[in-house]
Every structure is written in C-alpha cells, then in structure tokens.
Amino acid sequence: KAGVTQTPRYLIKTRGQQVTLSCSPISGHRSVSWYQQTPGQGLQFLFEYFSETQRNKGNFPGRFSGRQFSNSRSEMNVSTLELGDSALYLCASSPGTDNYEQYFGPGTRLTVT
Amino acid sequence: AQSVTQLGSHVSVSEGALVLLRCNYSSSVPPYLFWYVQYPNQGLQLLLKYTTGATLVKGINGFEAEFKKSETSFHLTKPSAHMSDAAEYFCAVSGGATNKLIFGTGTLLAVQP
C-alpha cells in the first residue's frame, strides 16, 4: 500500500497570506490527524477527523482550520499567516478511531516570511 | 490529562553499545504508549506500540520497550546500536476516545563509530 502523501512538500508564504495543505491517507484509513512540529514547541496536535467529522481539536487559534472529504483526503488551512506559523505540518492516518497507531506522511515544510 | 517526559534531549552511544532512551508518562486514563523515530527531513515512523497485556513490546529494527505501571515508564532499548539508528526518537501517549497523541520533547540519538 502507498503511504500517507502530503502536498506540497515545501511552501514559502508571506505574512498575512493564507495557505492550504493537503493530505491523502493510506488506502482504507478513514481517520486523519494533523500535527505541527516546531523547534520551540515540539509536536503539537491540531485536529483529528473521521468520516468527514472533526472529533478532536488542539489548542490553536481559529486561523487554523481543517476538513475531510468523503474519500478521506484531508486539507488544513491557515489564514492570516504569522511568522510563528513556520513549521513542519505532519498528517497521520489511522485504520481506527480510538488509540490506534498512526502512520505519518513526510510533512509539509511551511516557511512564512 | 496526559503528558510525556523524555529524559535526556541528547544521547550518544558507541556503535554496538546498548541504547536506552527514557520515557515517563502521566495519564488519567489507561494509557496507550508509542515510540516513533524521525530521520532528518522525514515524517515519523512507528517503532512500537503498547496497548494492554504483555508489558514487553517488541518493535521494528531490533527495538523493544517495557511498560512499567508502577514506575509510569516506557523506556526504549536496543541491545546493539547501529550507525543507522542515529535519529530523533519520540515517545507519545494517547488514551480515551481519540487518536490524539501527546508527544514528548524528543531524544536525539547519536551513534559514534
């Protein structure tokens, strides 16, 4: 099976712009989660989706949003970008909904200038 | 509430020596514990997972971890380090009706020839 894919892999945006990141889970996986990784804050949970419904949300401002489509693909959007949003954004898919192992994609490296 | 503490942000071992990476957790619900590895410019790869039952968990690449409830620990070990083991290792916990992972701050493992 193909692994989790994320597009784009690298992105450079200007402060104030918005960005959309995409994630395609492993075939058959219906649960998708997003994480932000920064040197200062480490790995932090953003959202969790299952069957197009957000099940859980981390402690991030409303500028961070996400959605999941009927084919389980997911997108996350960050509006009004700030310099502090520069990070590696990781998507993970899982075969189940509660405490299942998660399989991570390679990430999207977002740089905000 | 859940949390993970990884003791030692940097660990250096010689090739062929024992690898021991420490992880302590806190959880108000029965914990599910994970170890992930991250190579430079890549996503996270699952090494092993503890659910319930056997307290000694064997993972990929010769790694194993032992769940000790009395010590709230889940340390990762490997009998003999290889150069290819040099990477960053993350311990994580989940619990309850969610796939949300709470990560430790990571341990960077260096393997000296």
Side-chain angles (χ1 to χ4, degrees), chain A residues 38-84:
Chain A
T38 60
Q41 300 299 317
L43 282 154
Q44 294 187 286
F45 170 80
L46 281 158
F47 333 94
E48 175 190 359
Y49 287 90
F50 180 78
S51 292
E52 302 178 66
T53 300
Q54 188 179 90
R55 298 184 74 226
N56 215 333
K57 187 178 190 300
N59 188 25
F60 279 82
R63 300 185 296 106
F64 291 80
S65 63
R67 59 178 177 170
Q68 187 181 33
F69 301 96
S70 58
N71 62 358
S72 295
R73 190 176 68 84
S74 178
E75 288 181 348
M76 67 163 284
N77 183 278
V78 188
S79 63
T80 319
L81 284 165
E82 300 178 0
L83 296 178

Coordinates of all heavy atoms in Angstrom, one line a residue, chain A residues 38-84:
Chain A
T38 N 7.5 22.3 15.6 CA 8.5 23.4 15.6 C 9.6 23.1 16.6 O 9.4 22.4 17.5 CB 7.8 24.7 16.0 OG1 7.2 24.5 17.3 CG2 6.7 25.1 15.1
P39 N 10.7 23.7 16.4 CA 11.8 23.5 17.4 C 11.5 24.0 18.8 O 11.9 23.4 19.7 CB 13.0 24.4 16.8 CG 12.6 24.5 15.3 CD 11.2 24.5 15.2
G40 N 10.7 25.0 18.9 CA 10.4 25.6 20.2 C 9.3 24.8 20.9 O 9.3 24.6 22.1
Q41 N 8.2 24.4 20.2 CA 7.0 23.8 20.8 C 7.0 22.3 20.6 O 6.1 21.7 21.2 CB 5.8 24.5 20.3 CG 5.7 26.0 20.6 CD 5.7 26.3 22.1 OE1 5.0 25.6 22.9 NE2 6.4 27.2 22.5
G42 N 7.8 21.8 19.8 CA 7.8 20.4 19.5 C 6.6 19.9 18.7 O 6.1 20.7 17.8
L43 N 6.1 18.8 18.9 CA 5.0 18.2 18.2 C 3.7 18.5 18.9 O 3.5 18.1 20.0 CB 5.2 16.7 18.0 CG 6.1 16.2 17.0 CD1 6.7 14.9 17.3 CD2 5.5 16.2 15.6
Q44 N 2.8 19.2 18.2 CA 1.5 19.6 18.9 C 0.4 19.2 18.0 O 0.4 19.4 16.8 CB 1.5 21.1 19.1 CG 2.5 21.6 20.1 CD 2.3 23.0 20.4 OE1 2.6 23.9 19.7 NE2 1.7 23.3 21.6
F45 N -0.7 18.6 18.6 CA -1.8 18.1 17.9 C -2.7 19.3 17.4 O -3.0 20.3 18.2 CB -2.6 17.3 18.9 CG -4.0 16.9 18.4 CD1 -4.1 15.8 17.5 CD2 -5.1 17.5 18.9 CE1 -5.4 15.5 17.1 CE2 -6.4 17.1 18.5 CZ -6.5 16.1 17.5
L46 N -3.1 19.2 16.2 CA -4.0 20.3 15.6 C -5.5 19.8 15.5 O -6.3 20.4 16.1 CB -3.5 20.6 14.2 CG -2.4 21.6 14.1 CD1 -1.7 21.5 12.8 CD2 -2.8 23.0 14.3
F47 N -5.7 18.8 14.7 CA -7.1 18.2 14.6 C -7.1 16.7 14.4 O -6.1 16.2 14.0 CB -7.8 18.8 13.4 CG -7.4 20.1 12.9 CD1 -6.5 20.3 11.9 CD2 -8.0 21.3 13.4 CE1 -6.1 21.5 11.4 CE2 -7.7 22.5 12.9 CZ -6.7 22.6 11.9
E48 N -8.3 16.2 14.5 CA -8.5 14.8 14.2 C -9.8 14.7 13.5 O -10.8 15.2 14.0 CB -8.5 13.9 15.5 CG -8.9 12.5 15.3 CD -9.1 11.7 16.6 OE1 -9.0 12.3 17.7 OE2 -9.4 10.5 16.5
Y49 N -9.8 14.0 12.4 CA -11.1 13.8 11.6 C -11.3 12.3 11.4 O -10.4 11.5 11.2 CB -10.9 14.5 10.2 CG -11.0 16.0 10.3 CD1 -9.8 16.7 10.4 CD2 -12.2 16.6 10.2 CE1 -9.9 18.1 10.5 CE2 -12.3 18.0 10.3 CZ -11.1 18.7 10.5 OH -11.1 20.1 10.6
F50 N -12.6 12.0 11.3 CA -13.1 10.7 11.0 C -14.4 10.8 10.2 O -15.3 11.4 10.8 CB -13.2 9.8 12.2 CG -13.7 8.4 11.9 CD1 -12.8 7.4 11.4 CD2 -15.0 8.0 12.1 CE1 -13.2 6.1 11.1 CE2 -15.4 6.7 11.8 CZ -14.5 5.8 11.3
S51 N -14.5 10.2 9.1 CA -15.7 10.2 8.3 C -16.2 11.6 8.2 O -17.4 11.9 8.4 CB -16.8 9.3 8.9 OG -16.4 7.9 8.8
E52 N -15.3 12.5 7.8 CA -15.7 13.9 7.5 C -16.1 14.7 8.7 O -16.5 15.9 8.5 CB -16.8 14.0 6.4 CG -16.5 13.3 5.1 CD -17.6 13.3 4.1 OE1 -17.9 14.4 3.6 OE2 -18.2 12.2 3.8
T53 N -15.9 14.2 9.9 CA -16.3 14.9 11.1 C -15.1 15.2 12.0 O -14.2 14.3 12.1 CB -17.3 14.1 11.9 OG1 -18.5 13.8 11.1 CG2 -17.7 14.8 13.2
Q54 N -15.0 16.4 12.5 CA -13.9 16.7 13.4 C -14.2 16.1 14.8 O -15.2 16.5 15.4 CB -13.7 18.2 13.5 CG -12.4 18.6 14.3 CD -12.3 20.1 14.3 OE1 -12.7 20.8 15.3 NE2 -11.6 20.6 13.4
R55 N -13.3 15.2 15.2 CA -13.6 14.5 16.5 C -12.8 15.2 17.7 O -13.2 15.1 18.8 CB -13.1 13.1 16.5 CG -13.8 12.2 15.4 CD -13.3 10.8 15.6 NE -13.8 10.1 16.7 CZ -13.0 9.4 17.6 NH1 -11.8 9.3 17.4 NH2 -13.6 8.8 18.6
N56 N -11.8 15.9 17.3 CA -11.0 16.5 18.4 C -10.2 17.7 17.8 O -9.8 17.7 16.6 CB -10.0 15.4 18.9 CG -9.7 15.5 20.3 OD1 -9.8 16.6 20.9 ND2 -9.3 14.4 20.9
K57 N -9.9 18.7 18.6 CA -9.2 19.8 18.1 C -8.2 20.2 19.2 O -8.5 20.2 20.4 CB -10.2 21.0 17.9 CG -9.6 22.2 17.2 CD -10.6 23.3 16.9 CE -10.0 24.4 16.1 NZ -8.9 25.1 16.7
G58 N -7.0 20.6 18.8 CA -6.0 21.1 19.7 C -6.2 22.5 20.0 O -7.1 23.2 19.6
N59 N -5.2 23.0 20.8 CA -5.3 24.4 21.3 C -4.6 25.4 20.4 O -3.5 25.9 20.7 CB -4.7 24.4 22.7 CG -4.9 25.8 23.4 OD1 -5.8 26.5 23.1 ND2 -4.0 26.1 24.3
F60 N -5.2 25.6 19.3 CA -4.7 26.5 18.3 C -5.8 27.6 18.0 O -7.0 27.3 18.1 CB -4.3 25.8 17.0 CG -3.0 25.1 17.0 CD1 -2.8 23.9 17.6 CD2 -1.9 25.7 16.5 CE1 -1.6 23.2 17.7 CE2 -0.6 25.1 16.5 CZ -0.5 23.9 17.2
P61 N -5.3 28.7 17.5 CA -6.3 29.8 17.2 C -7.2 29.4 16.0 O -6.9 28.5 15.3 CB -5.5 31.0 16.9 CG -4.1 30.5 16.6 CD -4.0 29.2 17.4
G62 N -8.3 30.1 15.9 CA -9.3 29.9 14.9 C -8.7 30.0 13.5 O -9.4 29.6 12.5
R63 N -7.6 30.6 13.3 CA -7.0 30.8 12.0 C -6.6 29.4 11.4 O -6.4 29.3 10.2 CB -5.7 31.6 12.1 CG -5.8 33.0 12.6 CD -4.5 33.8 12.5 NE -3.5 33.2 13.4 CZ -2.4 32.5 12.9 NH1 -2.3 32.3 11.6 NH2 -1.5 32.1 13.7
F64 N -6.5 28.4 12.2 CA -6.2 27.1 11.8 C -7.5 26.3 11.7 O -8.3 26.2 12.6 CB -5.3 26.4 12.8 CG -3.9 26.9 12.9 CD1 -3.6 28.1 13.6 CD2 -2.9 26.3 12.2 CE1 -2.4 28.6 13.7 CE2 -1.6 26.8 12.3 CZ -1.3 27.9 13.0
S65 N -7.8 25.8 10.5 CA -9.0 25.0 10.2 C -8.7 23.8 9.4 O -7.6 23.8 8.7 CB -10.1 25.9 9.6 OG -9.6 26.3 8.3
G66 N -9.6 22.9 9.3 CA -9.4 21.7 8.5 C -10.7 21.1 8.0 O -11.8 21.6 8.4
R67 N -10.6 20.2 7.2 CA -11.7 19.4 6.7 C -11.3 18.1 6.2 O -10.1 17.9 5.8 CB -12.5 20.2 5.7 CG -11.8 20.6 4.5 CD -12.7 21.4 3.5 NE -12.0 21.8 2.3 CZ -12.7 22.3 1.2 NH1 -14.0 22.4 1.2 NH2 -12.0 22.7 0.2
Q68 N -12.3 17.2 6.1 CA -12.0 15.9 5.5 C -13.1 15.6 4.5 O -14.3 15.9 4.7 CB -12.0 14.8 6.5 CG -11.6 13.5 6.0 CD -11.6 12.4 7.1 OE1 -12.4 12.4 8.0 NE2 -10.7 11.4 6.9
F69 N -12.7 15.1 3.4 CA -13.6 14.8 2.3 C -14.1 13.3 2.3 O -13.6 12.5 3.1 CB -12.9 15.0 0.9 CG -12.5 16.5 0.8 CD1 -11.1 16.8 1.1 CD2 -13.3 17.5 0.4 CE1 -10.7 18.1 1.0 CE2 -12.8 18.8 0.3 CZ -11.5 19.1 0.6
S70 N -15.1 13.0 1.5 CA -15.7 11.7 1.5 C -14.8 10.6 1.2 O -14.9 9.4 1.5 CB -17.0 11.7 0.6 OG -16.6 12.0 -0.7
N71 N -13.7 10.9 0.5 CA -12.7 9.9 0.1 C -11.6 9.8 1.2 O -10.5 9.2 0.9 CB -12.1 10.2 -1.3 CG -11.4 11.5 -1.3 OD1 -11.3 12.3 -0.3 ND2 -10.8 11.8 -2.5
S72 N -11.8 10.5 2.3 CA -10.9 10.5 3.5 C -9.7 11.5 3.3 O -9.0 11.7 4.3 CB -10.4 9.1 3.8 OG -11.4 8.3 4.3
R73 N -9.5 12.0 2.1 CA -8.5 13.0 2.0 C -8.8 14.2 2.9 O -10.0 14.5 3.1 CB -8.4 13.5 0.5 CG -7.2 14.3 0.2 CD -7.1 14.7 -1.3 NE -8.2 15.5 -1.7 CZ -8.2 16.9 -1.6 NH1 -7.1 17.5 -1.1 NH2 -9.2 17.6 -2.1
S74 N -7.7 14.9 3.3 CA -8.0 16.0 4.3 C -7.1 17.2 3.8 O -6.1 17.1 3.2 CB -7.6 15.6 5.7 OG -7.7 16.6 6.6
E75 N -7.6 18.3 4.2 CA -6.9 19.6 4.0 C -6.9 20.4 5.3 O -7.8 20.3 6.1 CB -7.6 20.4 2.9 CG -7.5 19.9 1.5 CD -8.2 20.8 0.5 OE1 -8.9 21.7 0.9 OE2 -7.9 20.6 -0.7
M76 N -5.8 21.1 5.5 CA -5.9 22.1 6.6 C -5.5 23.5 6.0 O -4.8 23.6 5.0 CB -4.9 21.8 7.7 CG -3.4 21.8 7.4 SD -2.4 21.8 8.9 CE -2.6 23.5 9.4
N77 N -6.1 24.5 6.6 CA -6.0 25.9 6.1 C -5.5 26.7 7.2 O -6.0 26.6 8.4 CB -7.3 26.4 5.5 CG -7.2 27.7 5.0 OD1 -7.3 28.7 5.7 ND2 -7.0 27.8 3.7
V78 N -4.6 27.6 6.9 CA -4.1 28.6 7.9 C -4.3 30.0 7.2 O -3.8 30.2 6.2 CB -2.7 28.4 8.3 CG1 -2.3 29.4 9.5 CG2 -2.4 27.0 8.7
S79 N -5.1 30.8 7.9 CA -5.4 32.1 7.3 C -4.5 33.1 8.1 O -4.0 32.9 9.2 CB -6.9 32.5 7.5 OG -7.2 32.5 8.8
T80 N -4.3 34.3 7.5 CA -3.6 35.4 8.0 C -2.3 34.9 8.7 O -2.1 35.0 9.9 CB -4.5 36.1 9.1 OG1 -5.8 36.3 8.6 CG2 -3.9 37.5 9.3
L81 N -1.5 34.4 7.9 CA -0.2 33.7 8.4 C 0.6 34.7 9.2 O 0.7 35.9 8.9 CB 0.6 33.2 7.2 CG 0.1 31.9 6.5 CD1 0.7 31.7 5.2 CD2 0.3 30.7 7.4
E82 N 1.2 34.1 10.2 CA 2.2 34.8 11.1 C 3.5 34.1 11.0 O 3.6 32.9 10.6 CB 1.6 34.8 12.5 CG 0.3 35.5 12.7 CD -0.2 35.4 14.1 OE1 0.5 34.8 15.0 OE2 -1.3 35.9 14.4
L83 N 4.5 34.9 11.4 CA 5.9 34.3 11.3 C 6.0 33.0 12.1 O 6.7 32.1 11.7 CB 6.9 35.3 11.8 CG 7.1 36.6 10.9 CD1 8.1 37.5 11.6 CD2 7.4 36.3 9.5
G84 N 5.3 33.0 13.2 CA 5.3 31.8 14.1 C 4.6 30.6 13.6 O 4.7 29.5 14.2

